[in-house]
Amino acid sequence: MNEVYITRVSKFLPNRPISNDEMEDKLGTINGKTSKGRRIVLRNNQIKTRYYAIDDNGNITHNNAQLTKEAIVGLCDDTFKAEDIELLSCGTSSPDQILPSHAAMVHGFLKNGNVEINSPSGACCSGMNALKFAYLSVKSGGTKNAVATGSERTSTWMKSDTFEEEIKYLETLEDNPILAFNKDFLRWMLSDGAGAFLLENEPKGDQPLKIEWMEGYSYAHEIEACMYAGGDKLEDGFLKPWSEYPSDQWSKKSLFAMKQDVKLLGENILVKGVDSLKKALSKHDLSPTDIDYYLPHISSHFFKEKLYQEMIAQGVEIPWENWFMNLSKVGNVGAGSIYIMLEELTHSGKLKKGDKILLSVPESARFAYSIALLTVC
């Protein structure tokens, strides 16, 4: 089996950073009223700026596949061209369409000759699942190199016109219709962008990162769906898919909007996250004190202190000084967040040979976790 190295890292964030005060101008008001939950959500998540694939005139500038393509182009130069890529593995929770797959659409924009493609579905862990497929391909010798990506283009999912038909329908049922918090909540959480890694079987470049191992854990056998799109959750927790609803209900129920059960999120995301971390560290006989940089993908700073306290409670404390995050600057880019975090760290000048970097990505869709260990070469 080959050793596998991340030899190049790239990101693409569309347009200019958007401040908190500009968000509702970009996404629009619902039923002509400003959101009552916006300030509460922003105060808790402490995100100051984020990026949207929407220009200052309200025009859409990129779809998800185009964002991803731009991140991949950032990996390339005269010594490594897009035509040299052997495998393209692209993860996202917001593909531009149901079919063709996200990776197929990215490949279509790249126009770089025949390559193998892979499109893991899911939420935030889809980016890590894309990385693991690429990692295993290079490790097994199936390919000498692979490109893995994580990306999101959720801004258009959150625009007010997505919910207009639902609000009009609710007006026939009640005097003062408002958007349910499980839908409104995510409008102030998510950001657009893409990140890309080049994986190779040799430690090329100035500071390659060796992938030591990758682990994944799902708790779907224990917990019902928490974040979902393309369906509606019934009272008993069953997730009824859009395909089982009459088409006139799709817009009335905003079935294709992203929704999140905030109560279920708070009860499980940290406890299960630290449990999965303990499993991974124990399996590889790694101590929390061995980790030089801990990169946790968290959706909100609201969870940061609580995550640390849960680590202490479960006996796997990673000291604050070893944490590295950029949530407040770039926002929650879902499947792309861990890529964009690592890109910033690798360009920070902080890394030195031998440093251990732990990547940790949760997804609340039905509570899955991906963890990876890198060593700076």
Side-chain angles (χ1 to χ4, degrees), residues 310-377:
E310 186 64 32
M311 284 179 166
I312 293 173
Q314 295 196 38
V316 285
E317 175 189 355
I318 299 174
W320 278 129
E321 57 266 25
N322 295 352
W323 290 42
F324 183 90
M325 297 171 58
N326 59 3
L327 177 68
S328 63
K329 294 185 292 183
V330 301
N332 177 4
V333 197
S337 285
I338 199 69
Y339 288 77
I340 295 167
M341 258 191 285
L342 187 63
E343 189 275 342
E344 183 170 329
L345 178 60
T346 58
H347 288 87
S348 68
K350 296 179 178 180
L351 295 178
K352 62 184 185 298
K353 188 173 182 178
D355 280 347
K356 301 289 186 185
I357 304 170
L358 191 73
L359 310 181
S360 176
V361 178
E363 71 173 36
S364 63
R366 200 153 178 178
F367 298 98
Y369 302 83
S370 294
I371 302 163
L373 183 70
L374 315 177
T375 300
V376 180
C377 297

Side-chain angles (χ1 to χ4, degrees), residues 128-301:
M128 288 288 274
N129 292 340
L131 177 60
K132 187 162 187 178
F133 189 93
Y135 162 68
L136 292 175
S137 177
V138 177
K139 191 167 187 66
S140 66
T143 56
K144 293 180 181 179
N145 72 62
V147 166
T149 70
S151 65
E152 304 291 355
R153 204 285 302 268
T154 54
S155 57
T156 53
W157 295 41
M158 303 301 167
K159 292 187 74 173
S160 58
D161 53 14
T162 303
F163 307 97
E164 284 179 356
E165 285 300 315
E166 178 181 0
I167 293 297
K168 288 178 183 177
Y169 176 65
L170 289 175
E171 283 180 335
T172 67
L173 305 176
E174 52 191 270
D175 294 331
N176 187 30
I178 60 171
L179 189 67
F181 186 68
N182 68 343
K183 298 172 187 175
D184 193 36
F185 172 75
L186 287 174
R187 297 187 76 215
W188 319 116
M189 296 289 289
L190 303 177
S191 182
D192 297 344
F197 297 163
L198 172 62
L199 278 60
E200 299 185 87
N201 60 6
E202 296 178 2
K204 299 177 181 177
D206 295 332
Q207 211 167 45
L209 307 174
K210 181 184 175 184
I211 302 178
E212 301 287 357
W213 49 258
M214 296 189 69
E215 299 290 346
Y217 303 91
S218 169
Y219 294 82
H221 64 300
E222 298 179 12
I223 314 170
E224 66 191 49
C226 176
M227 189 175 79
Y228 49 97
D232 208 18
K233 194 158 74 165
L234 306 183
E235 289 294 328
D236 63 359
F238 183 82
L239 195 61
K240 184 176 178 179
W242 62 272
S243 57
E244 295 180 13
Y245 283 93
S247 60
D248 67 341
Q249 293 294 305
W250 297 353
S251 57
K252 288 178 181 178
K253 290 181 173 291
S254 302
L255 290 181
F256 293 98
M258 286 188 181
K259 298 167 277 288
Q260 188 156 45
D261 185 327
V262 181
K263 183 175 183 292
L264 199 62
L265 176 72
E267 290 173 349
N268 295 284
I269 193 68
L270 302 179
V271 174
K272 299 303 185 185
V274 177
D275 181 67
S276 65
L277 178 63
K278 283 182 66 177
K279 285 180 167 64
L281 296 183
S282 175
K283 179 177 180 178
H284 295 279
D285 195 25
L286 187 71
S287 167
T289 58
D290 296 329
I291 298 164
D292 298 290
Y293 290 95
Y294 174 55
L295 276 59
H297 166 50
I298 59 175
S299 61
S300 167
H301 275 277

Side-chain angles (χ1 to χ4, degrees), residues 106-118:
V106 174
H107 184 212
F109 283 119
L110 273 175
K111 299 187 184 304
N112 61 329
N114 290 124
V115 297
E116 181 181 358
I117 60 172
N118 174 57

